[in-house]
Amino acid sequence: MYEMDTRKRALALVAQGRSLNSVSKEVGVSRAAIRSWQTRVEPLKRIGPCPRCHETPSLPEDPAAYSYLLGLYLGDGCISAGRRGAYFIRIACADAWPGLITACEAAVRAVRPDNSVCRVQAKGYVSVVGYSKHWPCFFPQHGPGKKHERRIVLEPWQQEIVEAHPWGFIRGLIHSDGCRITNWTTRLVGGERKRYEYPRYFFTNKSDDIRKLFTDALDRVGVEWTTLARGSDPFNISVARKASVALMDTHVGPKY
Ligand SMILES: [Zn+2]
C-alpha cells in the first residue's frame, strides 16, 4: 500500500507534463502503479467556487500543473462556448505520443478537479476535452479568431505562475508546438569514421507573442536560443547549444 501523499505527489508530477518514467524514478513507485492510480475515479472532494471569479481571486490550486496546461493551451488548445454557459477546452494530442495524452488529461483534471474530462479520438490525434463554465477565467486569452492574429498577453497572476514554474510552461509549449530532433554526421578522427549526434529542440508558432513568452521563459532558466527564419518568417526557435540542450533534456526530454 502506498501512502496517499505518494500517490498525490506522483499524479501531480504527471500533471506537470513529466514522463511516467521520470516520475516513477523520483517517487520510487512502478509505472504500473501510477497508471492504475490515474484510471481510478476520485470521489468528488469539494465543489469549490472558481478561484478566479471569486470575490477575492486566488491562484489555481495546482499552479505547477496550470503552468504546463497554459503552455499546452497557447500551443495547441482552444476554448469554445457550449450550451448553458458551459465552455470546453480542447487540446489536440497526436496519437504518436500516448504519454503526452495522459499528461494533458492529468493537467486538465488538476486545474478543474470537479469537472469532467474526456478523450475524443479523431484521425491521427486525440482531443482531450474538459468541460467547465470557468475556462475563460483560467485562460483570459480566450477570444475570437486565431491566436496569432490577436495580441496574447499574460495577466499578472499568470505571469507570476509562469515565473514560479517556468519548466512546466516550457514543457507545455514543447509538448504542443515543439520537438526534440537528432541530426547526425560522421567525421574522420585519426583515420576512423565516427558518428556525431546533434540533438536540438525546436519550437514553432506563428504568434510573435507566444514565441516571446517561450523565449522569455528560456531566458529565465538560462537556456540559450536562436531564431530560425523559415523563408522570411521567423517562426522557429531553436535550442542547439550543448549545455542548453542538456538542460532541456533534464527538464523536458523527447516526446513520449
Ligand atoms: Zn470562474
Side-chain angles (χ1 to χ4, degrees):
M1 279 292 286
Y2 292 110
E3 297 290 334
M4 201 62 182
D5 284 352
T6 307
R7 179 174 149 178
K8 272 195 194 145
R9 205 170 130 233
L11 292 179
L13 289 172
V14 173
Q16 293 168 28
R18 295 266 306 264
S19 71
L20 285 187
N21 230 344
S22 78
V23 174
S24 159
K25 268 184 216 148
E26 177 165 336
V27 182
V29 299
S30 70
R31 286 186 296 175
I34 300 172
R35 244 185 251 116
S36 78
W37 294 338
Q38 285 177 318
T39 51
R40 209 170 301 162
V41 176
E42 289 278 329
L44 291 186
K45 290 158 282 179
R46 39 162 198 92
I47 301 286
C50 163
R52 294 309 309 158
C53 61
H54 197 262
E55 244 174 86
T56 45
S58 56
L59 295 182
E61 255 176 74
D62 187 339
Y66 176 82
S67 196
Y68 176 63
L69 187 59
L70 178 62
L72 291 179
Y73 165 69
L74 291 179
D76 246 347
C78 66
I79 291 173
S80 25
R83 286 193 295 178
R84 288 194 288 273
Y87 285 87
F88 42 95
I89 190 170
R90 190 187 290 272
I91 292 167
C93 308
D95 284 345
W97 316 115
L100 298 195
I101 303 173
T102 301
C104 172
E105 193 177 344
V108 173
R109 248 180 241 292
V111 172
R112 288 306 293 156
D114 301 323
N115 292 114
S116 63
V117 186
C118 67
R119 298 179 179 202
V120 180
Q121 181 68 54
K123 202 174 179 189
Y125 68 96
V126 167
S127 285
V128 173
V129 184
Y131 297 87
S132 172
K133 288 183 175 172
H134 298 282
W135 288 122
C137 309
F138 287 89
F139 300 104
Q141 287 71 28
H142 165 59
K146 300 203 162 101
K147 286 195 208 90
H148 67 271
E149 287 163 358
R150 57 179 202 263
R151 288 281 289 151
I152 299 290
V153 183
L154 297 186
E155 295 206 349
W157 65 270
Q158 292 179 296
Q159 193 62 40
E160 188 184 314
I161 291 177
V162 165
E163 280 170 24
H165 303 278
W167 281 115
F169 185 63
I170 293 168
R171 266 198 297 277
L173 287 168
I174 289 285
H175 285 174
S176 56
D177 275 346
C179 60
R180 180 190 190 277
I181 59 151
T182 307
N183 290 340
W184 61 273
T185 184
T186 59
R187 235 193 268 154
L188 278 176
V189 180
E192 217 181 308
R193 191 156 286 281
K194 283 194 169 176
R195 180 184 163 115
Y196 287 89
E197 295 198 334
Y198 301 97
R200 50 165 64 184
Y201 284 81
F202 280 111
F203 176 73
T204 306
N205 194 291
K206 280 189 177 178
S207 159
D208 296 345
D209 294 335
I210 293 173
R211 284 198 311 279
K212 178 79 165 63
L213 290 171
F214 178 65
T215 55
D216 282 351
L218 293 182
D219 288 342
R220 214 165 291 126
V221 294
V223 167
E224 292 182 67
W225 53 271
T226 51
T227 298
L228 295 184
R230 188 172 57 192
S232 57
D233 300 318
F235 291 159
N236 298 302
I237 305 295
S238 156
V239 173
R241 299 286 290 264
K242 208 170 176 186
S244 295
V245 170
L247 253 183
M248 293 287 280
D249 279 346
T250 304
H251 294 278
V252 182
K255 293 188 181 190
Y256 53 92

